[in-house]
Amino acid sequence: MGLRLGDIAPNFSAKTTKGEIVFHDWKKDSWAILFSHPEDFTPVCTTELGAVARLQEEWDKRGIKTIGLSCNTVESHQSWIADINETQNTNVQFPIIEDFDRKIATLYDMLDYQDATNVDKKGLPLTVRSVFILDPKNVIRLTFTYPASCGRNFDEVLRVIDALQLSEKKKVVTPVNWKGTQDEVIIHTAVSNDEAEKLFPGYRTVKPYLRFTKV
């Protein structure tokens, strides 16, 4: 059975571009994003990792640690980082995991089983574009899986982290196309009207189950 929302993210030891880590010890009590890319020195992956690197200040503001993974060696990652920095006008600071034996990719069900072209020179499957968002207790809170042919939108990853963290702090949930705290949110249905008036004075009721407020 694959990993589900609410599961504890499996722990592992790995070599990375920042040295050897034990995953849970590395992330400690932080939120974290574990994401895979198919292969080093490939065009879509280069743009993706550049985007993650350029968002470093935004991750830091939210207490997020980011870590990448592919089926390449640390030496390959290190060489490729120079290309990423050059072509994407950035400075990659986050670690990238070496997983050429595919143990972690298998543990997290990241390997590609549908794209016959997403394989290495030996014909072994490479990883898809997986994203796991983990909370400080190592609980899997959100996952994405994109095919190798489709680059991810890391602005969307940032948006959903904002939504998750907001729901942790306030008794609210986020509506469709919510873009940030400038937009209204929905008061959680477990909150009574009396409590809602104390927490969110002047909230707006559309239906008894649909109450909007700003936070």
Side-chain angles (χ1 to χ4, degrees):
M1 184 179 295
L3 295 171
R4 296 178 174 177
L5 301 187
D7 285 348
I8 298 296
N11 200 14
F12 57 83
S13 299
K15 289 176 64 178
T16 82
T17 52
K18 298 293 185 180
E20 294 194 13
I21 67 163
V22 176
F23 183 51
H24 286 182
D25 294 342
W26 169 80
K27 74 176 286 297
K28 294 182 179 177
D29 298 321
S30 299
W31 288 78
I33 301 169
L34 168 63
F35 67 100
S36 61
H37 64 273
E39 195 168 25
D40 296 353
F41 297 102
T42 53
V44 177
C45 301
T46 299
T47 63
E48 286 191 321
L49 272 74
V52 175
R54 288 193 300 273
L55 286 168
Q56 189 61 56
E57 288 188 8
E58 299 300 325
W59 308 131
D60 290 344
K61 286 178 189 176
R62 294 158 175 80
I64 305 288
K65 291 185 175 182
T66 56
I67 188 165
L69 175 148
S70 77
C71 301
N72 303 100
T73 64
V74 163
E75 292 74 21
S76 173
H77 293 333
Q78 295 283 20
S79 297
W80 181 43
I81 284 171
D83 278 9
I84 298 170
N85 290 342
E86 176 192 349
T87 64
Q88 305 304 303
N89 191 29
T90 190
N91 183 16
V92 174
Q93 294 296 315
F94 56 86
I96 307 174
I97 295 166
E98 170 184 294
D99 193 34
F100 66 88
D101 59 8
R102 293 158 171 76
K103 287 183 179 179
I104 301 166
T106 300
L107 187 64
Y108 277 79
D109 196 19
M110 294 173 167
L111 292 174
D112 196 333
Y113 294 105
Q114 62 117 18
D115 185 349
T117 68
N118 190 27
V119 295
D120 66 11
K121 293 178 181 178
K122 295 180 180 179
L124 297 174
L126 297 171
T127 45
V128 289
R129 303 185 191 281
S130 297
V131 177
F132 290 84
I133 297 177
L134 315 177
D135 71 15
K137 296 181 180 178
N138 300 323
V139 175
I140 298 172
R141 299 296 299 274
L142 188 143
T143 64
F144 291 104
T145 302
Y146 285 58
S149 61
C150 182
R152 287 161 286 197
N153 184 337
F154 279 94
D155 289 334
E156 168 64 4
V157 176
L158 193 66
R159 185 192 76 88
V160 296
I161 286 173
D162 283 345
L164 288 169
Q165 292 186 338
L166 180 61
S167 293
E168 286 281 299
K169 296 172 186 174
K170 307 279 187 179
K171 295 181 179 181
V172 297
V173 294
T174 52
V176 63
N177 295 333
W178 181 82
K179 293 182 177 64
T181 52
Q182 71 274 14
D183 291 346
E184 286 186 315
V185 294
I186 297 171
I187 300 170
H188 198 287
T189 54
V191 176
S192 69
N193 287 340
D194 288 341
E195 185 182 6
E197 192 55 49
K198 293 176 183 176
L199 294 174
F200 313 107
Y203 69 88
R204 181 169 67 90
T205 300
V206 177
K207 293 285 186 181
Y209 59 84
L210 186 58
R211 298 167 297 173
F212 289 92
T213 188
K214 284 286 192 76
V215 291

